[in-house]
Amino acid sequence: MKKVLISAAALLMPAAAFAHTGHEVSGFAAGVAHPFTGLDHLLAMLAVGLWAARQSGTARWATPLAFVAMMAVGALAGASSLQLPFTELMIAASVVVFGGLIAFNLKQGALAGALLAGGFAFFHGFAHGVEMPAMSTLATYGAGFLLATAVLHAAGYALAAFGHSKAADISRRVAGAVIALTGIALGAA
C-alpha cells in the first residue's frame, strides 16, 4: 500500500510544475496538464489502467485503447459547441464504476470492456473539448490530453503489476474501493 501511495503522489507532481506563471497555458502543455488537474479525470484514467491490467487476453489492451479513441471522439463533440447533459455526472460515474470493477475484481471480455471504457471516455473527452483553452487548437491540445491519458493508463497498469500475492490483491481491491467511494463523493458534490 505504501508503494501505491508513493506512486500516486509522484503522479501528481506534473500538475505542481504548472503552478507558476510563465508556462504555456494553451496548446499541448495545457492538454497534458488537464487530466492531472482534475481528481475525477485522474482517478478514472488510473483506474482504467488498473482494471485493464487485471483482465486477460485482448481486453488488457482493448480497454485502454478504446478509452483513448472514444475520448478523442468526445473531444471533437465538445469542441463543436454541442450541449451534452449529465457530463460531469457521467464522469463521476466512471470513477465509481471502474473503482468498483477493481474492488470486486470483475473481469469482462474485450468487447464489453472496450464498450464500457469507450462509453465513459466519450464524456471525459467531451469535457476536455469544452474546456479547451481559447488560444488552443484541438490538434495540439488534444494530442496533449490523449498522451497524458495514455500515460495515466500505463501508470495504473504498472501499479496493478506490483506483486501477485494475496496482500497485493487486497491492496488493489482496497484502492478500487477508495476510488469508487471518491467517485460517489465527486458525484454528490
Side-chain angles (χ1 to χ4, degrees):
M1 188 60 151
K2 184 177 179 182
K3 288 180 183 178
V4 171
L5 292 174
I6 291 170
S7 297
L11 287 172
L12 294 174
M13 288 174 60
F18 291 97
H20 304 287
T21 60
H23 294 284
E24 183 179 2
V25 293
S26 62
F28 183 77
V32 169
H34 191 96
F36 290 97
T37 59
L39 187 59
D40 49 359
H41 294 299
L42 180 70
L43 289 177
M45 293 168 193
L46 282 171
V48 167
L50 281 165
W51 184 57
R54 306 307 296 163
Q55 302 304 299
S56 58
T58 57
R60 296 181 83 145
W61 58 266
T63 300
L65 184 63
F67 192 100
V68 172
M70 284 305 295
M71 200 164 121
V73 173
L76 286 170
S80 71
S81 301
L82 179 71
Q83 298 296 315
L84 186 61
F86 309 115
T87 299
E88 291 302 320
L89 185 60
M90 291 301 291
I91 290 170
S94 72
V95 177
V96 174
V97 169
F98 288 119
L101 291 168
I102 296 163
F104 293 108
N105 198 28
L106 299 175
K107 299 186 183 336
Q108 297 291 323
L111 181 59
L115 288 172
L116 181 67
F120 282 125
F122 181 85
F123 291 95
H124 282 271
F126 187 86
H128 287 329
V130 167
E131 296 167 1
M132 180 174 63
M135 299 302 290
S136 296
T137 66
L138 188 56
T140 57
Y141 177 71
F145 71 71
L146 291 174
L147 175 65
T149 298
V151 167
L152 287 168
H153 289 335
Y157 203 97
L159 287 171
F162 282 129
H164 298 286
S165 67
K166 183 89 168 151
D169 184 55
I170 291 170
S171 293
R172 281 188 289 274
R173 288 174 175 242
V174 168
V178 168
I179 290 169
L181 290 171
T182 303
I184 291 169
L186 290 170

